[in-house]
Amino acid sequence: QVQLVESGGGLVQPGGSLRLSCAASESLFNIYFMGWYRQAPGNERELVARISSGGMKYFQDSVKGRFTISRDTTINTVYLQMNSLKPEDTAVYYCYADRSVGSEIKQFWGQGTQVTVSS
């Protein structure tokens, strides 16, 4: 089991920035992918960004150029830096990790953190 602890959400004005952190209970090199999904009211959960164990990154088109994802492998933590935030970025952001468990790939989730972009 991978335990994920998130922090860093909050209320910010349009154009502002926030940084989300997600600390994993084990080495990031044991985790295939780690990143964030988000879910706004009435919408399905969508993948925002992820980073692989090898350091490859993926971003949803709507956040490219505004969000960056990075990691500190010494403290097993992944960061989502969100700049130029827009009201449509408002959602609950969930950290997740894909890890092999036996012969399966399982997904583990953080508790979620609210990001609200509003003036």
Side-chain angles (χ1 to χ4, degrees):
Q1 300 289 331
V2 180
Q3 295 181 335
L4 303 171
V5 178
E6 302 181 48
S7 61
L11 172 64
V12 65
Q13 292 186 343
S17 298
L18 282 175
R19 189 177 79 159
L20 305 183
S21 301
C22 181
S25 58
E26 61 179 83
S27 170
L28 300 185
F29 296 114
N30 295 336
I31 297 171
Y32 291 123
F33 295 103
M34 192 162 162
W36 276 267
Y37 278 76
R38 68 185 179 187
Q39 188 167 22
N43 291 356
E44 293 186 355
R45 194 173 291 192
E46 59 180 7
L47 179 62
V48 177
R50 71 181 184 192
I51 185 167
S52 73
S53 56
M56 294 185 65
K57 301 174 184 179
Y58 163 87
F59 297 96
Q60 182 192 103
D61 284 347
S62 68
V63 307
K64 285 180 180 177
R66 300 189 297 122
F67 291 12
T68 58
I69 190 168
S70 61
R71 62 183 182 175
D72 186 338
T73 56
T74 64
I75 56 172
N76 301 333
T77 299
V78 174
Y79 304 98
L80 183 68
Q81 178 67 43
M82 305 184 292
N83 298 327
S84 302
L85 282 161
K86 304 175 181 180
E88 51 263 44
D89 294 317
T90 295
V92 178
Y93 284 68
Y94 295 93
C95 178
Y96 86 101
D98 286 329
R99 192 202 192 282
S100 62
V101 178
S103 59
E104 299 179 358
I105 305 296
K106 291 193 174 181
Q107 205 160 54
F108 299 91
W109 295 93
Q111 77 275 19
T113 186
Q114 177 71 45
V115 171
T116 302
V117 184
S118 175
S119 55

